[in-house]
Amino acid sequence: MLKKIIKTSPLPAVIIIRLMVGAVFLSEGIQKFIFADKLGAGRFEKIGLPEPDFLGYFVGTFEIACGLLVLLGFLTRLAAIPLLSIMLVALTATKVKLVAEDGFWSMLHDSRTDWSMLLGSIFLLIMGGGKWSIDRILWKKQKNDDA
């Protein structure tokens, strides 16, 4: 099972997506704690999510932890799963209403980062951490141990 999680693409360009996704989630998670009224619990309360105080810290913690894992390229595929869930909830909870109020094109404009993070997370789920990742080091070690 661990082999499937850490197996990764040898492509060096994966690091570009990994750095983008990891940095954005790490930053957003930290901001949910620093600016809780605006970006954490306060935001979740405003959009009508249940238990906003709990959710603000819960989501922020996952964004920080998974963002760091993605930046390091450690258990990248595993870290991408909660990030996918976060983005699907974000798009559903905020952008569906936006389509009804302001139209399709406005929704696309306001959700460009959400779509980028969703697609970047899917990419990492498929590709893994890439050539310059802890996953790659572990994969090579696992292959050598099996030989």
Side-chain angles (χ1 to χ4, degrees), residues 1 5 18 20 25 27 29 42 51 57 59 66 68 73 77 88 90 95 103 105 115 128 134 138-139 143 145:
M1 177 72 164
I5 293 171
R18 217 180 73 223
M20 176 193 68
F25 276 111
S27 169
E51 302 296 328
Y57 294 115
V59 171
C66 293
L68 279 171
R77 284 190 169 93
L88 289 171
K95 303 313 186 260
W105 293 109
W115 288 109
I134 294 174
L138 294 174
W139 172 247
K143 280 178 47 177
D145 289 349

Side-chain angles (χ1 to χ4, degrees), residues 5-131:
I5 293 171
I6 62 172
K7 185 176 181 184
T8 186
S9 165
L11 298 174
V14 172
I15 195 168
I16 295 168
I17 302 298
R18 217 180 73 223
L19 293 175
M20 176 193 68
V21 170
V24 169
F25 276 111
L26 177 61
S27 169
E28 289 297 315
I30 291 169
Q31 290 179 70
K32 281 181 178 56
F33 287 91
I34 296 172
F35 308 111
D37 290 344
K38 185 176 179 184
L39 301 174
R43 171 105 171 103
F44 290 161
E45 183 175 15
K46 182 180 174 184
I47 61 177
L49 292 176
E51 302 296 328
D53 289 325
F54 170 76
L55 265 182
Y57 294 115
F58 182 78
V59 171
T61 299
F62 267 90
E63 287 179 342
I64 292 168
C66 293
L68 279 171
L69 289 172
V70 167
L71 280 172
L72 295 170
F74 182 52
L75 303 176
T76 307
R77 284 190 169 93
L78 205 55
I81 295 169
L83 300 179
L84 280 167
S85 300
I86 289 168
M87 293 319 306
L88 289 171
V89 170
L91 283 163
T92 304
T94 61
K95 303 313 186 260
V96 170
K97 182 180 176 185
L98 192 60
V99 170
E101 291 176 357
D102 298 328
F104 178 75
W105 293 109
S106 181
M107 179 277 298
L108 282 181
H109 173 75
D110 287 350
S111 63
R112 62 193 179 274
T113 303
D114 296 350
W115 288 109
S116 296
M117 293 301 100
L118 178 70
L119 295 174
S121 297
I122 292 170
F123 176 86
L124 294 173
L125 183 63
I126 294 167
M127 300 297 283
K131 182 176 182 175

